[in-house]
Each structure stands twice: as C-alpha cells, then as structure tokens.
Amino acid sequence: MSKSASERVFGIADLVDCICGNAAIRNDDGTLTNWYFFFTFARINKIAATPALREIWRHLDVHSARKILKLLPENPASQLTVIRGGDKPKTQQQIVQLELGRIFFYCEMVEFFHALGWTSIEATRLNDFLNLVQLHMPSKIVFPRLKSLLFPLTHGHCNLNLSGLGLTQIEHISVLSHPTFCSQLIDITPLFPVIRTLELKDDIVALSPWKETIKRAVGTMSSLRNLIITTSRSIAPYILADIATIPTIKMIKFNIRTSNHPEPPNINSFSSSRQSSRDLILKMTRGDFDIISTLLRQSQSVSISHSVLIFDGIDKDSIEQPSVDRAITAIVDTCPSLKMLTIIATRSSGSSFYRPISTEDDILVISSQTLEPLTRLSHITTLDLHLETALIITPTFLNHIAEFWSSLQYCYLSPFKRFELEKNEEPLLRLPDIIHFASRCPSLHTLGVVFDLELDIIEREGWFEQSPCLPVARAMKKLDVGSSGIWDHRRTASIISTAFPFLDNFAWTGPSFKSTMCMSARESEEWFKTQNLVFGLCS
C-alpha cells in the first residue's frame, strides 16, 4: 500500500515527538503543569516513552533534580570496580559506560537544572559522580543539552566540577552571590562562551565586590545580554551607572533588599563618564516608588534611555502621593521612547493586606490627573498598572490615551472599584466609554478596567437600547472588568458580545475576605452568567 505524503516525510517517531512538544504546558519557570499526562503517555510503548520522558526531564526544579541522585549508586567508585563472573575483562571506561548508562540516558535529556536548594551532602554526591566520570571518561559531557543552570557552585566545602557539566552550551546561569563565588567569577568566566543571562541570587551584592570582580567579569562576557542582581537600593544606582560602560548588556534587573552594608556616598556626588546614548531594559522587584525615580535620574545622567520598564513587587505600604508623582514625572522626563510600562504594587507580608480593607482611608487613591503626564509618551504599546489601590480612571483620561497612544496593544488599569463614587467631580467609566475607547485603539487586544453598570443610570440614559449604534472593537481578545458592578447579565452580555465579537477571554475580580474593594458574591455570580452568555455556553 502506497504511503501518503506526510508518511513519506514524517515517521511515527517524528509525529510522537511533535505531539509531546505541543502537549507540554509549562509554568513561567518552565516546570510542567500536565506532567501526569506524560507519565501516562510514556507507558504506552517504547516509541512514546522517549519523547514523553524528554519533556518530563527537560526542566528539573529543586525537587525533581533530586531524581538524578536516586539514579546514582551510593558509592560509585567501589561499584565500578566489580566485574560480573563470566564476563570478559572490560576497561574502566567500558565499566563506567555500562554501569552508569541509565543515568547518562536521562541526563542527556536535561536542559534546565535547578538545584539551588540542595544540601551540602547532595551537592557533594553529584560532584563525586562528575569527578568519577571525568577521571575515566574525560571527553564525556554528562549534560550535553544543558542550557540553564541554577546551582550553588561553591557549596560549603564542595566546589562543583564545572567541566563535567558541559558549560559550553549554557545560556542561563543562576548562582548564589556570596563572597566565595564573587572572588572566583573572573576565573570561571571563560567556561561560559555563549552565556546570555547571569543571575546573582540571595546574598546582597555590595559596592566593593561589584567594583573589584563582578564588573570585570561581566565586561569580559561578550555574549552576556541580561544581568539579574540582588542588591540594596543605595548600591543599585552605582551598578546602573557602570552598566553604561558595558554596551553588550541589554537588560538589567535589580532585586532590591534591605542591607546592613555601609552606605556609599550620596548618589548626587557620584557621576560616571558620559557614554553614547543607548537603550536598556530596566526591571526591578521589591523596591518602592522613590527608588524608581532615583534609578531613572541616574540613567539620564549616563545617557541611558529605557524602552521597557517593569517594576514588580513594589511595596504598597511605602506608596505615598508625592512618591508616585515623582516616579511618574521621572518616567516621562527620562524615557521619551518608552514602549512598555509595568508597575505591580503589593502589600508586604505582615502588612494590612492580611486584614480586611474596610474604609477609604485604608487605601491610596490615585486619580487620572496623576497619570495624565504619561499620555506624552506617544510610543506606548503596553501599560500595566496592577496596584492594590484605587485608580480613578475617567472618560477624559481614556480619550487622551486613545488620542496619543495609537499603537496601544495592552492596557490594564488596576481593576478595583471605589467606595463612594459620588465624591468624584467627573463620573467614572461606563460600558459605552469602554467600547468607544477600544474601538479607537485599532491594535488593542487586552483591556482591564473598572466601569459603572448601575441599573438606574443605565435605564435612565437608555444605553442598552443604543447598543446597535455602538462601535465595534474587532481586535479585542481579552476583557477584565475587575470589580465592576452589574445588575442585568443578559443585557450586559448582549452589548459585550456585539461590541467585542472576537473576544476569547473574559475575567473579573471575585469576592475576597481581604478587601471590600472586590465585588459581592451576587455580582460575581452575575458576571459568571454574563461570561457564559458571551461565549454561548448557555441560553
């Protein structure tokens, strides 16, 4: 029987590989979410086993990486000297290959090896294994596909045998930034010829190690593009200034932590030689709004501009109106070519986030007037303001966004609602305002914002009756209504499905014991019914 064209090009093994590759659903850190499917799939037959196991072993986190240790003999050096009776004499290299063939099979699948949480004993076992392989099989690379390594390279008295890992193909390495490693970084730099991301975790990098070793090592990594570093708010501006002298770095991310190190001189008294203007992606976690303005002003002083700003985990308890104003002003003044702005502010652990927010005095209210200067940034494509506070977004502000941000694709404006809407001089957003705004942004595919759907206002102004006259936003794919109120799910669903005909994702903020800014259980139920009607799940 003649074969089809696809059968002549692809064998059964190729098709199974394709199935497994497309079936893998992974978290942001690369770990599988549907690992049980691959365990089941691997048991079908030998053809299915290899691609399924490849997906399972591809990314090993701190827990699953311990499976490697289970494959190791307790005392590999002694076991490899035993030759079974009746076997022909074998060389030591053949014994290693025979006895450890199973672990080599699995190790060759590993692309991501994350073991920062390993104990000293566990690290020593792996190191002994690598030393043994290198002794008897010097050319053997245990992890030939390894691309990402998170490991304590200097773990107590155990210095990991790096050459046994096969580092020439590693693109991402994340290590503990304690003094022992920092002193060795300049020496091991040649082992990573294609490294693109270096992450220094846990220990705070002080000014002295940065100047003496880390900066020199980073400068010699010609392929390095991304630097992720844990440091204090006082040291970060100095590091940022030095990055201006390393043109290969395209992104820097600061993990800001409290430090007991001596404070350096005032940042205003420090200046770096001016370089030619360049763009740098700036990310930060665990900081506050004041450090945002400080970093951006320092960037300006060394001729660095930013097209992408991502500030995640900003401490909500430290937010005050003057700090927010300074940060917004600094963003507008220093980043004229900004395309993406993300600010995610959360309450720190042990703060009032864990008690109900019951009064308006418990939250900071940010008005559209505070955000208005952002409309001067005409290149914005992504605006993500995810704040545990109240954003007062008005129709006028949205009109300005639609007018000045013609390329806007993603807009998320902290969907939480106010307690007393009547205090506002200008009314809050309503559903027709959202529809008109989306229709004026031809590239907008995601919108998250709170609007007002109070029944008496809707009936008085006859918005539902005017729905056939409302514009259509064909690019919209996702709508997040946050904690918007709702009374009639049928009429609301009718308008949403008409205005956003290609919508494929619908979300809202359900009730929560942590905040009365969220919607009630009745409103959540109404939005659930609305979603079902929009996507035709019920009549």
Side-chain angles (χ1 to χ4, degrees):
M1 186 174 65
S2 61
K3 295 183 178 180
S4 65
S6 61
E7 289 176 320
R8 289 195 297 270
V9 176
F10 300 104
I12 294 178
D14 298 320
L15 295 176
V16 174
D17 274 346
C18 184
I19 291 172
C20 287
N22 286 279
I25 302 174
R26 298 185 178 273
N27 296 315
D28 293 338
D29 62 355
T31 54
L32 277 173
T33 60
N34 58 338
W35 55 269
Y36 184 76
F37 163 80
F38 289 97
F39 277 114
T40 305
F41 197 73
R43 294 185 175 95
I44 296 176
N45 53 40
K46 291 183 178 180
I47 294 178
T50 300
L53 288 172
R54 185 185 301 119
E55 292 298 333
I56 294 172
W57 283 87
R58 179 183 171 192
H59 189 294
L60 298 182
D61 59 19
V62 64
H63 300 294
S64 57
R66 290 188 170 95
K67 299 182 186 299
I68 291 289
L69 299 179
K70 294 181 179 179
L71 299 174
L72 292 175
E74 290 296 330
N75 192 347
S78 63
Q79 290 194 20
L80 293 180
T81 61
V82 177
I83 301 179
R84 298 184 184 91
D87 288 347
K88 295 181 179 180
K90 296 180 175 63
T91 65
Q92 196 69 11
Q93 179 172 336
Q94 289 174 324
I95 296 174
V96 173
Q97 182 67 51
L98 177 65
E99 297 294 331
L100 299 181
R102 185 166 179 244
I103 186 174
F104 289 155
F105 172 77
Y106 289 108
C107 288
E108 288 174 359
M109 301 181 187
V110 177
E111 296 183 13
F112 303 87
F113 190 80
H114 297 186
L116 279 177
W118 275 18
T119 65
S120 179
I121 296 176
E122 291 171 329
T124 301
R125 285 197 64 197
L126 178 63
N127 202 49
D128 290 344
F129 165 67
L130 295 175
N131 289 334
L132 181 69
V133 173
Q134 187 177 36
L135 175 63
H136 299 290
M137 304 176 67
S139 61
K140 178 67 176 179
I141 302 300
V142 179
F143 296 100
R145 297 177 182 268
L146 192 63
K147 295 181 180 180
S148 178
L149 174 66
L150 280 75
F151 198 89
L153 297 185
T154 53
H155 201 315
H157 301 290
C158 170
N159 291 327
L160 189 64
N161 186 339
L162 297 177
S163 58
L165 288 173
L167 304 181
T168 57
Q169 74 281 355
I170 284 186
E171 300 177 358
H172 175 105
I173 184 169
S174 179
V175 293
L176 301 177
S177 54
H178 47 62
T180 306
F181 169 76
C182 291
S183 63
Q184 298 177 355
L185 182 59
I186 192 68
D187 298 325
I188 66 174
T189 295
L191 297 175
F192 307 102
V194 297
I195 185 173
R196 299 189 64 83
T197 301
L198 173 64
E199 181 176 9
L200 304 179
K201 294 175 68 71
D202 290 347
D203 287 357
I204 292 175
V205 173
L207 188 59
S208 178
W210 165 257
K211 290 286 188 182
E212 294 173 2
T213 56
I214 301 176
K215 177 186 173 183
R216 290 172 52 207
V218 169
T220 60
M221 297 179 180
S222 59
S223 62
L224 188 65
R225 298 293 180 267
N226 309 311
L227 178 62
I228 304 173
I229 189 167
T230 300
T231 189
S232 65
R233 68 189 318 277
S234 58
I235 303 297
Y238 286 83
I239 296 176
L240 183 60
D242 285 336
I243 291 299
T245 65
I246 308 176
T248 56
I249 300 295
K250 303 301 181 184
M251 185 278 290
I252 184 165
K253 178 179 178 180
F254 293 111
N255 296 320
I256 303 297
R257 293 189 179 179
T258 304
S259 171
N260 295 323
H261 293 294
E263 293 292 316
N266 188 289
I267 189 66
N268 293 327
S269 64
F270 172 82
S271 61
S272 174
S273 57
R274 291 186 67 86
Q275 307 292 320
S276 57
S277 180
R278 56 181 289 236
D279 182 77
L280 182 70
I281 297 174
L282 177 60
K283 300 182 181 181
M284 184 185 72
T285 61
R286 300 185 181 183
D288 53 43
F289 270 88
D290 283 330
I291 187 62
I292 291 177
S293 54
T294 301
L295 287 175
L296 292 178
R297 295 301 180 188
Q298 180 64 357
S299 296
Q300 188 179 39
S301 69
V302 292
S303 301
I304 291 179
S305 61
H306 305 285
S307 60
V308 177
L309 294 176
I310 299 178
F311 305 115
D312 192 359
I314 303 298
D315 186 3
K316 167 65 175 66
D317 294 339
S318 68
I319 298 177
E320 297 179 353
Q321 189 66 47
S323 300
V324 177
D325 291 338
R326 285 192 295 269
I328 295 296
T329 301
I331 291 171
V332 173
D333 292 345
T334 63
C335 307
S337 301
L338 188 66
K339 296 181 179 179
M340 178 185 296
L341 174 61
T342 297
I343 301 178
I344 301 176
T346 57
R347 292 176 183 265
S348 59
S349 61
S351 71
S352 55
F353 177 79
Y354 295 99
R355 63 177 173 82
I357 302 175
S358 56
T359 67
E360 194 166 334
D361 294 334
D362 288 331
I363 59 173
L364 174 68
V365 177
I366 299 179
S367 66
S368 293
Q369 186 176 3
T370 301
L371 303 176
E372 186 68 31
L374 292 175
T375 57
R376 291 157 49 190
L377 303 173
S378 58
H379 300 285
I380 289 285
T381 61
T382 298
L383 178 64
D384 187 358
L385 301 181
H386 200 135
L387 313 177
E388 283 182 17
T389 184
L391 275 182
I392 307 303
I393 306 299
T394 62
T396 301
F397 178 63
L398 278 193
N399 288 335
H400 288 169
I401 289 180
E403 179 180 356
F404 297 111
W405 294 354
S406 58
S407 301
L408 186 64
Q409 300 175 14
Y410 183 104
C411 184
Y412 189 94
L413 298 172
S414 190
F416 285 105
K417 66 180 180 180
R418 286 287 307 279
F419 293 99
E420 300 179 11
L421 305 181
E422 65 272 11
K423 287 187 175 181
N424 299 292
E425 296 180 359
E426 186 175 359
L428 291 188
L429 297 174
R430 297 167 186 172
L431 186 53
D433 299 321
I434 302 298
I435 296 172
H436 281 287
F437 166 70
S439 67
R440 294 179 61 190
C441 300
S443 302
L444 184 66
H445 58 75
T446 301
L447 176 62
V449 69
V450 168
F451 49 87
D452 184 11
L453 267 176
E454 290 189 9
L455 183 61
D456 58 338
I457 299 177
I458 294 173
E459 289 183 340
R460 183 172 65 248
E461 300 190 12
W463 287 344
F464 281 121
E465 287 69 20
Q466 299 174 18
S467 58
C469 303
L470 291 174
V472 176
R474 299 186 181 278
M476 278 287 295
K477 299 295 184 181
K478 178 178 180 179
L479 176 65
D480 188 337
V481 300
S483 56
S484 301
I486 181 174
W487 289 96
D488 190 319
H489 65 273
R490 293 187 180 277
R491 291 191 288 180
T492 303
S494 175
I495 290 184
I496 290 178
S497 58
T498 302
F500 309 124
F502 299 106
L503 200 68
D504 59 21
N505 195 309
F506 189 80
W508 64 94
T509 303
S512 171
F513 73 93
K514 296 176 181 178
S515 174
T516 55
M517 294 174 70
C518 297
M519 65 177 60
S520 65
R522 184 204 63 80
E523 291 172 324
S524 180
E525 179 65 21
E526 288 292 305
W527 280 118
F528 179 75
K529 295 176 181 178
T530 302
Q531 173 190 250
N532 289 342
L533 287 174
V534 168
F535 296 128
L537 300 179
C538 64
S539 57

